Amino acid sequence: MRTSICRWGNSLALRLPRNVVQEAGLSEGTTVDVRARDDEVTIAPVRPKPNLDDLLARFKPEHRREETDWGERAGREIW
């Protein structure tokens, strides 16, 4: 799809067509990473890395397993 760059104040702006925005999962206010390499410009949404609390919140109780008893120490393990 072709579009053009236009002036926006002292900067230049690129208008993204709706189907491109939807396909990329973007919305108004989405933080994006813009990179220029050689003669190409890449725009990608910044996806926050989940923290431990976020990951544990998605943990399903049915996946929980009982603790396994491995018996007495056989060497210098610290239990």
Side-chain angles (χ1 to χ4, degrees):
M1 171 163 302
R2 292 185 180 202
T3 186
S4 61
I5 296 175
C6 57
R7 180 154 304 280
W8 187 3
N10 290 331
S11 301
L12 297 177
L14 177 65
R15 187 173 227 159
L16 301 175
R18 181 182 2 207
N19 62 329
V20 172
V21 169
Q22 290 172 341
E23 194 172 321
L26 303 173
S27 61
E28 186 176 343
T30 301
T31 302
V32 294
D33 184 34
V34 180
R35 294 178 187 253
R37 185 170 153 196
D38 298 326
D39 62 343
E40 294 182 350
V41 175
T42 305
I43 303 170
V46 175
R47 304 287 186 215
K49 292 183 180 181
N51 60 30
L52 183 58
D53 290 334
D54 294 335
L55 295 172
L56 290 174
R58 295 187 300 189
F59 185 74
K60 296 178 182 177
E62 61 265 21
H63 293 136
R64 187 178 187 101
R65 300 292 178 251
E66 295 296 321
E67 185 176 335
T68 302
D69 182 6
W70 295 98
E72 295 296 316
R73 288 193 291 193
R76 295 183 172 178
E77 316 66 41
I78 300 173
W79 292 20

